[in-house]
Amino acid sequence: AIYGDSSAESVLERAGITAARSLAVTVPDLFAARGTTRTARRLAPEVDIVTRANFPGDVNALKDVGANETVQPEFEAGQEFVRYVLRRQGVSARETDSLIRRRRASFYHDIHEDLVYREE
């Protein structure tokens, strides 16, 4: 564990950002998440960064500073409730996935357009 401000260059360097393939920024504070994402992108231009957007309006703010993907937890939880209810009502997995994929693309303004969940 490394203790410190994750937006600080020295903290990200100690964590090995330049060798990292992925970075998950899960802090719910937009200011901190933006700072971490911006610094990480500058230090490691190729790293894949996924961030948490506490509010729907934060999605684009995080993408603008370099996030590859952004997840809004309350929206995603709601999607899983919808998936559960539709499947229990007999809606096929294919149709359910299609509905959720379209809603996700609309919500994230096409940020997650290629994100598809499949039933195992």
Side-chain angles (χ1 to χ4, degrees):
I2 298 170
Y3 181 79
D5 177 356
S6 63
S7 67
E9 231 177 85
S10 61
V11 171
L12 287 171
E13 286 172 344
R14 268 186 284 144
I17 190 65
T18 57
R21 293 188 321 197
S22 298
L23 172 65
V25 181
T26 61
V27 62
D29 176 77
L30 178 61
F31 183 77
R34 287 182 66 197
T36 301
T37 302
R38 184 182 297 114
T39 303
R41 180 60 64 217
R42 184 171 40 76
L43 295 173
E46 301 302 315
V47 71
D48 186 56
I49 302 173
V50 60
T51 59
R52 171 186 176 164
N54 214 35
F55 299 100
D58 297 349
V59 172
N60 288 333
L62 291 162
K63 183 166 173 50
D64 289 347
V65 294
N68 297 92
E69 295 287 342
T70 304
V71 175
Q72 204 284 318
E74 287 75 17
F75 173 78
E76 294 299 332
Q79 291 290 85
E80 290 308 308
F81 274 95
V82 168
R83 177 186 311 285
Y84 178 84
V85 170
L86 289 176
R87 294 295 293 133
R88 293 294 245 188
Q89 297 302 314
V91 177
S92 73
R94 184 178 184 168
E95 187 174 354
T96 299
D97 286 346
S98 177
L99 289 167
I100 288 174
R101 187 173 48 254
R102 287 194 312 265
R103 176 65 183 117
R104 184 172 282 121
S106 172
F107 179 82
Y108 288 111
H109 306 287
D110 299 327
I111 292 171
H112 288 285
E113 187 173 59
D114 62 338
L115 191 59
V116 178
Y117 294 123
R118 290 183 172 72
E119 293 238 338
E120 303 280 79

